[in-house]
Amino acid sequence: MAKIIGTIVVNTERCKGCQLCVVACPKEVIALAPKKVNAHGYPYVEAARPDDCIGCASCGIVCPDGCITVYKKKIQ
């Protein structure tokens, strides 16, 4: 049976740190980057546990600014 793994890419310059994606992630992959802000002065999220991503895309769906892209890959 093939397993699905995922990878997220966050556009940190567009992220406003609302953390809706953090709440939506069932695997607790995403977290607010500690002590980091973007050029606009907003804290942003990052993949804190990228190896746990299952590619469900919940984070990308709830992001109001479209900052998250999710990629899925099947592995044997």
Side-chain angles (χ1 to χ4, degrees), residues 36-62:
K36 294 181 185 175
V37 294
N38 61 23
H40 305 288
Y42 292 112
Y44 56 85
V45 296
E46 63 185 2
R49 296 173 34 193
D51 293 339
D52 293 339
C53 183
I54 58 173
C56 69
S58 294
C59 56
I61 292 168
V62 301

Side-chain angles (χ1 to χ4, degrees), residues 15-76:
C15 181
K16 294 180 183 164
C18 70
Q19 299 188 64
L20 290 174
C21 57
V22 175
V23 174
C25 181
K27 295 293 187 174
E28 299 178 356
V29 171
I30 305 170
L32 201 59
K35 300 180 183 178
K36 294 181 185 175
V37 294
N38 61 23
H40 305 288
Y42 292 112
Y44 56 85
V45 296
E46 63 185 2
R49 296 173 34 193
D51 293 339
D52 293 339
C53 183
I54 58 173
C56 69
S58 294
C59 56
I61 292 168
V62 301
C63 181
D65 295 310
C67 301
I68 301 172
T69 304
V70 180
Y71 298 98
K72 296 181 191 180
K73 181 179 176 182
K74 280 186 186 178
I75 57 171
Q76 299 296 332

